[in-house]
C-alpha cells in the first residue's frame, strides 16, 4: 500500500506497518531551494532623506565612513517639562528611525550644547510630513495650541552614518543604478546563504559585510557558486565575509541539528514539510527514511516514539546524522 503525501515526498505504509520516507529526485526539486527577494519589490520609503552620498556608487571595498552625511530636518522646540505629552501628540509626524534619537538637545551656533537652553528640547520631525509650520494637521495643531507650544519650525542638522542606514539603502547606493539589488538570504544558524546574480559579483565582498553588519547573529555570509549537485543535493560556495566556520547549529521544530553546511544539504524552507510528514506518524510506527540527510525526518520521528531505520549514500551526511541522533538523545531508537 502506498499513499502519496506530496509530489516529492512519499510515505509508504506497508502491511506490516513500517513507514518509508523517500524523496523523488525530480528536476524541479531544486525549486524548493533558496529563492531571493529582489529589493526592487520592496517599498522605497525614506530614500530621499536616507539616500547615502553619491560618492559611494561603485564602491567594492566597504568604507563605512563614506556613508556619513549631514541632512537638514525640520524640528520643533518644546519645553522639557511637557516634552512627553507633546511628543505623544506629534507621534505621527515625528522622525521615526530605529537607532536615531528623535528628541535632541538644542545647540548654539558653534554646534555645542547650549546649557542656557536646557529647558527646551527639539523634537525632530519627518520631512516627508512637515515642510513648514502650516503642515501640521488639525489634531497636532490643536495639541500644540493646548500645550502653549509655538507652531514654529526650525532646521536641525542631523548627522546620519552607516549605522543609521538599512542594508537596502546601502546596497542600492553602491551597486549600479537601475540594476536589481538583492539582500535576501537564507539563514542557516550563523550563516547567511546568498544566491547572487552576475552583475552583483564584483560587489560580493561588500554585500557580505553589509549583511553581517545589519543582521545580528549572522557571522558568516556565503554565496552559491555552482548549480546543485544532483545526487547529494549540496553545492559549492564561497565565503564572502566573516568567519569561515561552516559548522552550523540550527533549531528546527524544537530539534537541534549540527552539520557542516559546506558539505551537506540543508534547506530552512523545508521546515514545514518536515513537521507535516512527522505529524502523520504515531508512537510505535516503524519508519524507514532511505534518503535521511542529517536527520530532519528521522530525529523528530524517533522523538515521537517511532522505531527508525535511516540510510544515506553520502558518508558525510551519515556522520552528521549519527551526531544529531546523539545530540538529541535518540541514537538508541535509530538503526
Ligand atoms: C535532498 S537531500 C534530503 C535530505 C533530508 N531528507 C532533508 O530533508 O534534509 C537527499 C539526500 O539523499 C541522499 N541520497 C541521494 N541518492 C541516494 C541513494 N541512492 N541512496 C541513499 N541516499 C541517497 C543524499 O546524500 C542526500 O542526503
Amino acid at each position: 500500500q502506498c499513499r502519496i503525501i506530496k509530489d516529492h515526498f512519499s510515505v509508504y505504509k506497508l502491511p506490516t506497518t513500517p513507514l518509508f520516507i523517500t524523496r523523488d529526485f525530480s528536476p524541479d526539486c531544486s525549486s524548493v531551494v533558496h529563492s531571493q527577494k529582489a529589493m526592487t519589490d520592496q517599498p522605497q520609503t525614506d530614500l530621499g532623506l536616507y539616500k547615502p552620498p553619491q560618492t559611494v556608487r561603485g564602491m567594492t571595498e566597504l568604507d563605512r565612513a563614506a556613508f556619513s552625511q549631514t541632512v537638514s530636518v525640520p524640528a520643533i522646540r518644546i519645553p522639557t517639562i511637557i516634552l512627553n505629552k507633546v511628543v505623544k501628540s506629534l507621534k505621527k509626524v515625528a522622525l521615526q528611525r530605529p537607532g536615531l534619537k528623535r528628541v535632541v538637545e538644542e545647540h548654539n551656533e558653534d554646534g555645542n550644547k547650549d546649557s542656557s537652553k536646557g529647558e527646551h528640547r527639539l523634537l525632530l520631525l519627518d520631512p516627508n510630513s512637515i515642510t513648514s509650520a502650516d503642515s501640521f494637521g488639525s489634531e497636532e495643531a490643536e495639541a500644540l495650541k493646548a500645550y502653549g507650544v509655538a507652531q514654529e519650525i526650525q532646521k536641525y542638522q542631523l548627522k546620519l552614518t552607516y549605522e543609521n542606514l538599512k542594508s537596502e539603502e546601502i546596497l542600492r547606493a553602491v551597486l549600479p543604478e537601475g540594476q536589481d539589488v538583492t539582500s535576501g538570504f537564507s539563514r542557516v544558524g550563523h550563516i547567511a546563504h546568498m544566491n547572487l546574480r552576475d552583475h552583483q559579483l564584483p560587489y560580493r565582498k561588500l554585500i557580505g559585510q553589509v549583511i553581517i553588519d545589519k543582521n545580528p547573529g549572522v557571522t558568516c555570509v556565503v554565496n552559491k557558486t555552482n548549480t546543485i549537485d544532483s545526487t547529494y543535493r549540496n553545492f559549492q560556495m564561497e565565503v564572502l565575509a566573516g568567519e569561515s566556520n561552516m559548522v552550523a547549529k540550527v533549531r528546527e521544530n524544537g530539534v537541534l541539528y549540527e552539520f557542516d553546511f559546506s558539505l551537506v544539504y540543508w534547506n530552512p524552507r523545508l521546515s514545514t514539510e518536515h513537521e507535516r510528514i512527522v505529524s502523520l506518524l504515531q508512537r510505535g510506527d516503524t519508519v524507514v527514511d532511505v534518503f535521511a540527510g542529517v536527520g530532519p525526518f528521522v530525529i523528530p520521528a524517533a522523538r515521537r516514539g517511532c522505531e527508525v531505520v535511516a540510510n544515506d549514500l553520502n558518508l558525510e551526511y551519515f556522520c552528521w546524522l549519527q551526531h544529531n541522533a546523539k545530540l538529541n538523545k535518540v541514537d538508541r531508537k535509530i538503526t
Side-chain angles (χ1 to χ4, degrees):
Q1 292 168 354
C2 164
R3 199 152 45 98
I4 303 293
I5 302 294
K6 197 185 164 201
D7 50 356
H8 59 280
F9 285 107
S10 315
V11 171
Y12 294 92
K13 190 152 186 154
L14 299 182
T16 48
T17 67
L19 285 141
F20 285 78
I21 299 176
T22 71
R23 195 152 200 266
D24 164 19
F25 294 121
S26 62
D28 22 324
C29 272
S30 57
S31 64
V32 294
V33 176
H34 325 278
S35 68
Q36 303 274 312
K37 254 194 293 170
M39 280 184 178
T40 44
D41 299 339
Q42 297 170 359
Q44 294 186 25
T45 50
D46 296 334
L47 277 186
L49 184 57
Y50 301 106
K51 200 169 177 183
Q54 297 251 338
T55 47
V56 303
R57 176 85 59 210
M59 177 188 285
T60 50
E61 215 167 288
L62 184 58
D63 173 8
R64 295 176 183 83
F67 289 83
S68 297
Q69 61 181 332
T70 302
V71 294
S72 182
V73 295
I76 186 164
R77 192 166 183 259
I78 303 169
T80 314
I81 197 156
I82 50 166
L83 185 66
N84 288 348
K85 290 177 187 157
V86 180
V87 169
K88 213 169 165 190
S89 309
L90 299 185
K91 209 167 63 186
K92 285 188 197 149
V93 293
L95 196 66
Q96 309 240 1
R97 183 82 173 182
L100 267 189
K101 275 194 195 167
R102 56 183 177 182
V103 175
V104 295
E105 291 187 36
E106 291 185 289
H107 291 80
N108 59 25
E109 274 157 22
D110 315 331
N112 296 319
K113 277 180 201 165
D114 191 337
S115 51
S116 67
K117 293 181 176 174
E119 287 158 18
H120 287 82
R121 293 282 186 277
L122 294 178
L123 171 65
L124 306 185
L125 302 168
D126 180 356
N128 295 316
S129 311
I130 304 293
T131 47
S132 71
D134 302 330
S135 318
F136 289 107
S138 55
E139 232 177 87
E140 284 106 16
E142 270 166 37
L144 289 173
K145 198 170 166 197
Y147 290 121
V149 176
Q151 199 172 317
E152 282 166 14
I153 294 299
Q154 50 179 276
K155 287 289 176 192
Y156 181 83
Q157 299 306 310
L158 174 68
K159 188 167 184 210
L160 287 176
T161 66
Y162 174 83
E163 279 67 38
N164 304 127
L165 297 168
K166 299 177 186 168
S167 47
E168 170 189 342
E169 292 155 350
I170 296 166
L171 298 182
R172 198 181 289 288
V174 169
L175 269 67
E177 229 161 340
Q179 300 235 24
D180 270 359
V181 178
T182 305
S183 72
F185 57 84
S186 292
R187 179 92 185 254
V188 180
H190 66 288
I191 302 168
H193 165 218
M194 307 195 84
N195 196 355
L196 296 178
R197 303 188 198 148
D198 286 350
H199 72 271
Q200 296 159 341
L201 292 179
Y203 306 92
R204 64 192 186 284
K205 303 271 175 191
L206 179 143
I207 294 173
Q209 192 53 58
V210 172
I211 298 296
I212 289 184
D213 289 346
K214 298 295 173 184
N215 294 278
V218 171
T219 55
C220 169
V221 180
V222 299
N223 185 40
K224 184 169 157 181
T225 56
N226 71 343
T227 50
I228 201 157
D229 172 89
S230 59
T231 304
Y232 299 134
R233 313 300 295 168
N234 56 1
F235 44 80
Q236 284 167 12
M237 55 186 76
E238 179 192 6
V239 177
L240 302 184
E243 57 174 322
S244 52
N245 168 25
M246 286 290 129
V247 177
K249 292 182 202 301
V250 172
R251 192 169 281 282
E252 183 185 271
N253 303 322
V255 180
L256 187 63
Y257 300 93
E258 288 179 357
F259 48 83
D260 185 327
F261 185 59
S262 65
L263 298 174
V264 307
Y265 172 91
W266 182 267
N267 185 346
R269 287 163 207 254
L270 288 181
S271 149
T272 318
E273 187 61 0
H274 294 147
E275 190 176 32
R276 188 181 73 83
I277 297 284
V278 172
S279 73
L280 301 171
L281 306 174
Q282 282 165 14
R283 188 172 196 82
D285 279 347
T286 301
V287 176
V288 180
D289 187 347
V290 294
F291 302 119
V294 299
F297 291 115
V298 163
I299 291 166
R303 277 165 51 108
R304 215 176 160 88
C306 301
E307 286 300 323
V308 182
V309 180
N311 175 65
D312 200 285
L313 186 63
N314 185 317
L315 188 62
E316 194 66 42
Y317 287 77
F318 184 78
C319 290
W320 285 110
L321 169 64
Q322 282 184 317
H323 173 83
N324 290 325
K326 282 199 188 106
L327 191 65
N328 290 282
K329 300 186 174 53
V330 288
D331 45 317
R332 292 219 184 123
K333 295 203 133 261
I334 301 174
T335 310

